[in-house]
């Protein structure tokens, strides 16, 4: 019995490896899959034949022009976009988004809504999240049964099993078991993910050469968050999603943070904190509920024009981020960093003070080798991370050997 179980586990793993190789490469040949996975050609041929017969993969055109190769051209393998779909939901400050993603990772239906998350009662917040999912699943042009997984990303702390939102700065509500609610309502497996963790997942899928074993994704928006990958694995805490970089203490007893505490990194580097300092308001001032991207762009433009309180506000932000990163690097060594979010567009104003602060820490011994990328729009990354997380589950569980094939994503025909 144990030998059979091990054999099934091996088949499951090998199938998942082949699907993952195709997903990452696009349209690789069987030879290229063998080079990527280390599986034998005979194993790949057998698995690919099964996956094609089951409608999970499809053969594509030759990966190179026939004129460039001798003999029989290589035939590529591609994912069948209609094999399955997942639904992603992103809940952030005053914003809710939902999208249906096909099996290749492409968005096929989307909806976005503005909400007042800071004042919404608990029942209304839950109702809005359920309603946007329901509307996407009831899309008349989509086969509802094809959605195999729901992934909800939220700005805030989630539990380690990815079932609930524990706390979030975007709402006074706490301990909402969104995954259980989604599963009870729609009968589809669901997870609740930290938004910054999903940014890190997406970066690893986009650029494995740079974001492979150890790297950091920092959210520079109204809030400050972090997704951390160590030794190729996404870091989470023993009880929660972990990675609350924005709420590490920069200055004990310092500026008031959205979380209610004082001196957090976010209280100097979040959009509301930069705005507060640029306006020369007291550090005891209540954080502004929301600052528009347009206002932040105008603030950055003034900071670039001349020295003044606007430029000083960005310097303070860079200093807080730099000391925080330097402390982190003292533990894990320097690693590539991606700055994501609206304030990443002003990284030129932040970087000098950030690097100076890092250099003053134990983690700054190799500060000259630290490199930064910037991405000013976090939503596509968060959504992509959710999609890849959910699709990986589909690859390993729904399409495991012997699992029942789900109906395809397709247009309904009257």
């Amino acid at each position: 019995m144990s030998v059979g179980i091990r054999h099934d586990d091996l088949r499951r793993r090998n199938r998942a490896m082949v699907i993952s190789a195709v997903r990452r490469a696009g349209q690789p040949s069987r030879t290229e899959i063998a080079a990527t996975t280390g599986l034998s050609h005979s194993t790949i041929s057998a698995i690919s034949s099964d996956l094609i017969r089951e409608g999970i993969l499809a053969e594509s055109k030759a990966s190179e022009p026939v004129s460039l190769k001798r003999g029989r051209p290589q035939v590529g393998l591609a994912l069948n976009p209609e094999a399955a779909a997942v639904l992603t939901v992103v809940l952030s400050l005053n914003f809710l988004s939902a999208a249906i993603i096909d099996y290749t990772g492409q968005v096929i239906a989307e909806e976005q809504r503005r909400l007042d998350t800071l004042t919404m009662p608990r029942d209304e917040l839950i109702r809005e999240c359920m309603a946007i999912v329901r509307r996407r699943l009831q899309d008349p042009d989509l086969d509802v049964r094809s959605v195999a997984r729901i992934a909800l990303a939220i700005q805030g702390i989630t539990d380690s099993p990815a079932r609930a939102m524990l706390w979030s700065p975007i709402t006074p509500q706490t301990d909402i078991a969104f995954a259980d609610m989604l599963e009870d309502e729609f009968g589809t497996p669901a997870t609740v993910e930290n938004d910054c963790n999903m940014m890190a997942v997406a970066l690893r899928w986009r650029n494995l050469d740079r974001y492979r074993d150890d790297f950091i994704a920092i959210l520079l928006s109204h809030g400050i968050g972090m997704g951390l990958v160590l030794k190729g694995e996404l870091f989470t805490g023993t009880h929660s999603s972990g990675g609350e970089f924005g709420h590490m203490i920069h200055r004990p007893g310092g500026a008031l943070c959205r979380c209610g505490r004082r001196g957090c990194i976010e209280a100097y580097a979040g959009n509301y904190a930069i705005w507060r300092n640029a306006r020369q308001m007291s550090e005891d001032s209540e954080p502004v509920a929301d600052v528009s991207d347009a206002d932040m762009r105008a603030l950055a433009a003034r900071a670039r024009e001349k020295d003044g309180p606007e430029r000083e506000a960005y310097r303070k932000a860079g200093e807080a981020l730099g000391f925080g990163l330097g402390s982190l690097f003292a533990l894990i060594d320097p690693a590539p960093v991606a700055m994501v979010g609206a304030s990443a567009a002003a990284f030129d104003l932040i970087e000098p003070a950030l690097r100076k602060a890092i250099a003053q820490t134990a983690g700054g011994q190799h500060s000259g080798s630290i490199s930064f990328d910037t991405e000013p729009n976090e939503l596509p990354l968060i959504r992509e991370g959710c999609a890849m997380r959910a699709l990986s589950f589909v690859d390993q569980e729904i399409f495991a050997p012997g699992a029942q094939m789900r109906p395809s994503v397709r247009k309904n025909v009257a």
Side-chain angles (χ1 to χ4, degrees):
M1 176 64 72
S2 60
V3 174
I5 293 173
R6 287 197 297 270
H7 178 67
D8 286 345
D9 289 343
L10 181 61
R11 288 181 62 211
R12 180 191 298 261
R13 188 203 67 173
N14 289 348
R15 282 170 62 104
M17 286 174 64
V18 170
I19 294 172
S20 178
V22 175
R23 188 180 300 284
R24 187 174 294 282
Q27 295 184 8
S29 67
R30 290 167 175 80
T31 300
E32 290 167 334
I33 295 173
T36 300
T37 63
L39 298 174
S40 68
H41 286 271
S42 60
T43 297
I44 292 171
S45 293
I47 291 174
S48 61
S49 295
D50 288 343
L51 294 173
I52 291 170
R53 185 174 61 254
E54 295 165 16
I56 300 168
L57 296 184
E59 289 189 331
S60 60
K61 295 179 181 179
S63 57
E64 294 182 26
V66 176
S67 59
L68 299 181
K69 304 182 72 173
R70 294 183 177 180
R72 184 178 179 181
Q74 293 282 338
V75 176
L77 292 174
L79 298 173
N80 175 8
E82 297 185 345
V86 296
L87 190 152
T88 65
V89 183
V90 179
L91 178 61
S92 56
L93 179 65
N94 297 333
F95 181 79
L96 180 64
S97 169
I100 301 289
I101 314 289
D102 72 18
Y103 194 55
T104 67
Q106 299 300 308
V107 176
I108 57 177
E110 179 183 7
E111 180 181 348
Q112 297 182 2
R113 287 178 59 80
R114 297 292 301 180
L115 306 175
D116 188 355
T117 59
L118 291 169
T119 62
M120 292 182 75
R122 182 187 185 92
D123 290 346
E124 187 177 349
L125 180 65
I126 294 170
R127 188 163 55 249
E128 285 284 353
C129 292
M130 297 296 145
I132 200 170
V133 171
R134 185 177 299 106
R135 286 192 297 271
R136 290 302 92 221
L137 293 179
Q138 291 177 349
D139 187 330
D141 293 329
L142 182 71
D143 183 346
V144 176
R145 296 169 300 166
S146 66
V147 175
R149 187 122 173 133
I150 301 171
L152 184 152
I154 190 163
Q155 184 182 346
I157 302 174
T158 61
D159 62 341
S160 286
R163 306 298 300 170
M165 180 203 81
L166 302 179
W167 173 87
S168 175
I170 71 171
T171 174
Q173 314 306 328
T174 59
D175 299 312
I176 302 179
F178 277 117
D180 291 341
M181 294 175 184
L182 288 165
E183 290 181 358
D184 289 345
E185 182 73 17
F186 303 109
T188 300
T191 57
V192 179
E193 311 282 1
N194 171 267
D195 59 346
C196 293
N197 285 349
M198 294 303 96
M199 293 187 331
V201 169
L203 287 168
R204 199 164 190 268
W205 273 98
R206 286 188 178 186
N207 189 350
L208 189 59
D209 290 337
R210 175 167 172 78
Y211 301 111
R212 180 183 294 271
D213 296 325
D214 302 284
F215 67 91
I216 302 162
I218 299 288
L219 177 64
L220 301 182
S221 187
H222 200 68
I224 302 296
M226 180 182 73
L228 176 63
V229 171
L230 297 175
K231 306 302 180 186
E233 297 292 334
L234 186 67
F235 172 80
T236 58
T238 55
H239 302 292
S240 73
S241 52
E244 287 300 308
F245 175 79
H247 299 290
M248 291 170 56
I249 296 299
H250 172 51
R251 290 184 179 171
L256 182 63
C257 181
R258 279 191 306 166
C259 71
R261 300 179 181 88
R262 289 184 172 272
C264 299
I265 291 172
E266 183 182 294
Y268 296 88
N271 285 358
Y272 69 86
I274 296 172
W275 182 264
R276 179 169 59 189
N277 284 330
R279 291 288 186 99
Q280 297 181 291
M281 299 166 65
S282 167
E283 290 188 344
D284 297 329
S285 301
E286 284 291 330
V288 177
D290 198 359
V291 184
S292 71
D293 290 350
D295 284 341
M296 291 304 297
R297 286 193 295 269
L299 191 70
R302 290 195 293 273
R304 293 187 182 98
E305 288 174 359
K306 62 178 183 179
D307 197 6
E310 294 87 3
R311 189 176 295 178
E312 176 64 12
Y314 281 103
R315 188 201 65 78
K316 287 182 178 179
E319 181 182 67
L321 292 165
F323 280 123
L325 283 172
S327 297
L328 181 62
F329 291 155
L331 296 175
I332 67 170
D333 286 342
V337 181
M339 296 291 186
V340 182
S343 285
F347 190 63
D348 58 307
L349 298 167
I350 292 171
E351 185 176 11
L354 183 150
R355 287 191 178 276
K356 183 178 179 180
I358 290 176
Q360 297 177 58
T361 69
Q365 297 181 36
H366 307 287
S367 58
S369 65
I370 300 171
S371 58
F372 298 92
D373 290 332
T374 59
E375 171 53 61
N377 189 357
E378 67 267 28
L379 178 59
L381 272 179
I382 297 170
R383 175 188 289 162
E384 184 177 339
C386 282
M388 291 302 108
R389 192 82 151 170
L391 287 168
S392 294
F393 170 86
V394 175
D395 295 344
Q396 297 177 31
E397 300 295 332
I398 303 300
F399 293 151
Q404 185 175 358
M405 176 73 174
R406 281 182 172 260
S408 64
V409 182
R410 63 183 183 274
K411 298 287 186 179
N412 288 335
V413 179

